[in-house]
Coordinates of all heavy atoms in Angstrom, one line a residue:
G1 N -11.7 -59.3 124.9 CA -12.8 -59.6 125.8 C -13.6 -58.4 126.3 O -14.8 -58.3 126.2
A2 N -12.8 -57.4 126.7 CA -13.4 -56.1 127.1 C -14.1 -55.5 126.0 O -15.2 -54.8 126.1 CB -12.4 -55.2 127.7
S3 N -13.5 -55.6 124.8 CA -14.1 -55.0 123.6 C -15.5 -55.6 123.3 O -16.5 -54.9 123.0 CB -13.2 -55.2 122.4 OG -13.8 -54.7 121.2
A4 N -15.6 -56.9 123.4 CA -16.9 -57.6 123.2 C -17.9 -57.2 124.2 O -19.1 -56.9 123.9 CB -16.7 -59.1 123.2
A5 N -17.5 -57.1 125.5 CA -18.4 -56.6 126.5 C -18.9 -55.2 126.3 O -20.1 -54.9 126.4 CB -17.8 -56.7 127.9
A6 N -17.9 -54.4 125.8 CA -18.3 -53.0 125.6 C -19.2 -52.9 124.4 O -20.2 -52.1 124.4 CB -17.0 -52.1 125.3
R7 N -19.0 -53.7 123.4 CA -19.9 -53.7 122.2 C -21.3 -54.1 122.6 O -22.3 -53.5 122.2 CB -19.4 -54.6 121.1 CG -18.2 -54.1 120.4 CD -17.9 -54.9 119.1 NE -16.6 -54.5 118.5 CZ -15.5 -55.1 118.7 NH1 -15.4 -56.2 119.5 NH2 -14.4 -54.7 118.1
G8 N -21.4 -55.1 123.5 CA -22.7 -55.6 123.9 C -23.4 -54.6 124.7 O -24.6 -54.3 124.5
H9 N -22.7 -53.9 125.6 CA -23.3 -52.8 126.4 C -23.7 -51.7 125.6 O -24.8 -51.2 125.7 CB -22.3 -52.4 127.5 CG -22.8 -51.2 128.2 ND1 -23.7 -51.2 129.2 CD2 -22.4 -49.8 128.2 CE1 -24.0 -50.0 129.7 NE2 -23.1 -49.2 129.1
H10 N -22.9 -51.3 124.7 CA -23.2 -50.2 123.8 C -24.4 -50.5 122.9 O -25.2 -49.7 122.6 CB -22.0 -49.8 122.9 CG -22.3 -48.8 121.9 ND1 -22.6 -47.5 122.2 CD2 -22.4 -48.8 120.5 CE1 -22.9 -46.8 121.2 NE2 -22.7 -47.6 120.1
S11 N -24.5 -51.8 122.4 CA -25.6 -52.2 121.5 C -26.9 -52.0 122.3 O -27.9 -51.5 121.7 CB -25.4 -53.6 121.1 OG -26.4 -54.0 120.3
T12 N -27.0 -52.5 123.5 CA -28.2 -52.4 124.3 C -28.6 -51.0 124.6 O -29.7 -50.5 124.4 CB -28.1 -53.2 125.6 OG1 -27.8 -54.6 125.3 CG2 -29.4 -53.1 126.4
K13 N -27.6 -50.2 125.0 CA -27.8 -48.8 125.3 C -28.2 -48.1 124.1 O -29.0 -47.2 124.1 CB -26.5 -48.2 125.9 CG -26.7 -46.8 126.4 CD -25.5 -46.3 127.1 CE -25.6 -44.9 127.6 NZ -24.4 -44.4 128.2
G14 N -27.5 -48.4 123.0 CA -27.8 -47.7 121.7 C -29.2 -48.0 121.2 O -29.8 -47.0 120.7
R15 N -29.7 -49.2 121.4 CA -31.0 -49.5 120.9 C -32.1 -48.7 121.7 O -33.0 -48.1 121.2 CB -31.3 -51.0 121.0 CG -30.7 -51.8 119.9 CD -31.3 -53.2 119.9 NE -31.0 -53.9 121.1 CZ -29.9 -54.7 121.3 NH1 -29.1 -54.8 120.3 NH2 -29.8 -55.3 122.4
R16 N -31.8 -48.6 123.0 CA -32.7 -47.8 123.9 C -32.7 -46.3 123.4 O -33.7 -45.6 123.4 CB -32.3 -47.9 125.3 CG -32.7 -49.3 125.9 CD -32.7 -49.2 127.5 NE -31.4 -48.8 128.0 CZ -30.4 -49.6 128.4 NH1 -30.6 -50.9 128.3 NH2 -29.3 -49.2 128.9
R17 N -31.5 -45.8 123.2 CA -31.3 -44.4 122.7 C -32.0 -44.2 121.4 O -32.7 -43.1 121.2 CB -29.8 -44.1 122.6 CG -29.5 -42.6 122.3 CD -30.1 -41.7 123.3 NE -29.7 -40.3 123.1 CZ -30.2 -39.3 123.7 NH1 -31.1 -39.5 124.7 NH2 -29.8 -38.1 123.4
V18 N -31.9 -45.1 120.5 CA -32.5 -44.9 119.2 C -34.0 -44.9 119.3 O -34.7 -44.0 118.7 CB -32.1 -46.1 118.2 CG1 -33.0 -46.1 117.0 CG2 -30.7 -45.9 117.8
R19 N -34.6 -45.8 120.2 CA -36.0 -45.8 120.4 C -36.5 -44.4 121.0 O -37.5 -43.9 120.6 CB -36.5 -46.9 121.3 CG -36.4 -48.3 120.6 CD -37.2 -49.3 121.4 NE -36.5 -49.6 122.7 CZ -35.6 -50.5 122.9 NH1 -35.2 -51.3 121.9 NH2 -35.1 -50.7 124.1
H20 N -35.7 -43.9 121.9 CA -36.0 -42.7 122.5 C -36.0 -41.5 121.5 O -36.9 -40.7 121.5 CB -35.0 -42.3 123.7 CG -35.1 -41.0 124.2 ND1 -36.2 -40.6 125.0 CD2 -34.4 -39.9 124.0 CE1 -36.0 -39.3 125.3 NE2 -34.9 -38.8 124.7
L21 N -35.0 -41.5 120.7 CA -34.8 -40.5 119.7 C -35.9 -40.6 118.6 O -36.4 -39.5 118.2 CB -33.5 -40.6 119.0 CG -32.2 -40.3 119.9 CD1 -31.0 -40.6 119.1 CD2 -32.3 -38.8 120.2
Q22 N -36.3 -41.8 118.2 CA -37.4 -41.9 117.3 C -38.7 -41.3 117.9 O -39.4 -40.6 117.1 CB -37.6 -43.4 116.9 CG -36.5 -43.9 116.1 CD -36.6 -45.4 115.9 OE1 -37.3 -46.1 116.7 NE2 -36.0 -46.0 114.8
A23 N -39.0 -41.6 119.1 CA -40.2 -41.1 119.8 C -40.1 -39.5 119.8 O -41.1 -38.8 119.6 CB -40.4 -41.7 121.1
R24 N -38.9 -39.0 120.1 CA -38.7 -37.6 120.2 C -38.9 -36.9 118.9 O -39.6 -35.9 118.8 CB -37.3 -37.3 120.8 CG -36.9 -35.8 120.9 CD -37.8 -35.1 121.9 NE -37.4 -33.7 122.0 CZ -38.2 -32.8 122.6 NH1 -39.3 -33.1 123.1 NH2 -37.7 -31.6 122.7
R25 N -38.3 -37.5 117.8 CA -38.5 -36.9 116.5 C -40.0 -36.9 116.1 O -40.5 -35.9 115.5 CB -37.7 -37.7 115.5 CG -36.2 -37.4 115.6 CD -35.5 -37.8 114.3 NE -35.6 -39.2 114.0 CZ -34.8 -40.2 114.5 NH1 -33.8 -39.8 115.3 NH2 -35.0 -41.4 114.2
L26 N -40.7 -38.0 116.4 CA -42.1 -38.1 116.1 C -42.9 -37.0 116.8 O -43.7 -36.3 116.2 CB -42.7 -39.4 116.4 CG -44.2 -39.6 116.2 CD1 -44.5 -39.4 114.7 CD2 -44.6 -41.0 116.7
H27 N -42.6 -36.8 118.1 CA -43.3 -35.7 118.9 C -43.0 -34.3 118.3 O -43.9 -33.5 118.1 CB -42.8 -35.8 120.3 CG -43.3 -34.6 121.1 ND1 -44.6 -34.4 121.5 CD2 -42.6 -33.5 121.6 CE1 -44.7 -33.3 122.2 NE2 -43.5 -32.7 122.3
L28 N -41.7 -34.1 117.9 CA -41.4 -32.8 117.4 C -42.0 -32.5 116.0 O -42.4 -31.4 115.7 CB -39.8 -32.6 117.3 CG -39.1 -32.5 118.7 CD1 -37.6 -32.6 118.5 CD2 -39.5 -31.2 119.4
R29 N -42.1 -33.6 115.2 CA -42.7 -33.4 113.9 C -44.2 -33.1 114.1 O -44.8 -32.3 113.3 CB -42.5 -34.6 113.0 CG -41.0 -34.7 112.5 CD -40.9 -35.7 111.4 NE -39.6 -35.8 110.9 CZ -38.7 -36.7 111.2 NH1 -39.0 -37.6 112.1 NH2 -37.4 -36.6 110.7
N30 N -44.8 -33.8 115.0 CA -46.2 -33.5 115.3 C -46.4 -32.1 115.8 O -47.4 -31.4 115.4 CB -46.8 -34.5 116.3 CG -47.0 -35.9 115.8 OD1 -47.1 -36.1 114.6 ND2 -47.0 -36.9 116.7
T31 N -45.5 -31.6 116.6 CA -45.6 -30.2 117.1 C -45.4 -29.3 115.9 O -46.1 -28.2 115.9 CB -44.5 -30.0 118.1 OG1 -44.7 -30.9 119.3 CG2 -44.5 -28.5 118.6
Q32 N -44.5 -29.6 115.0 CA -44.3 -28.7 113.9 C -45.5 -28.6 113.0 O -45.9 -27.6 112.5 CB -43.1 -29.2 113.1 CG -42.6 -28.2 112.0 CD -41.4 -28.7 111.3 OE1 -41.3 -29.9 110.9 NE2 -40.4 -27.9 111.1
R33 N -46.2 -29.8 112.8 CA -47.4 -29.8 112.0 C -48.5 -28.9 112.7 O -49.3 -28.2 112.1 CB -47.9 -31.2 111.8 CG -47.2 -32.0 110.8 CD -47.9 -33.2 110.4 NE -48.0 -34.2 111.4 CZ -47.1 -35.1 111.6 NH1 -46.0 -35.2 110.7 NH2 -47.2 -36.0 112.6
E34 N -48.6 -29.0 114.1 CA -49.6 -28.2 114.8 C -49.2 -26.7 114.7 O -50.2 -25.9 114.5 CB -49.5 -28.6 116.3 CG -50.0 -30.0 116.6 CD -49.9 -30.3 118.1 OE1 -49.4 -29.4 118.8 OE2 -50.2 -31.4 118.5

């Protein structure tokens, strides 16, 4: 039960983190091109 809850929490947190990282990588690549 705790494992399922942990997976659900991690999944939501992980998706937010991935979106943040994607935006960060895009910004850094734009900076590199500049």
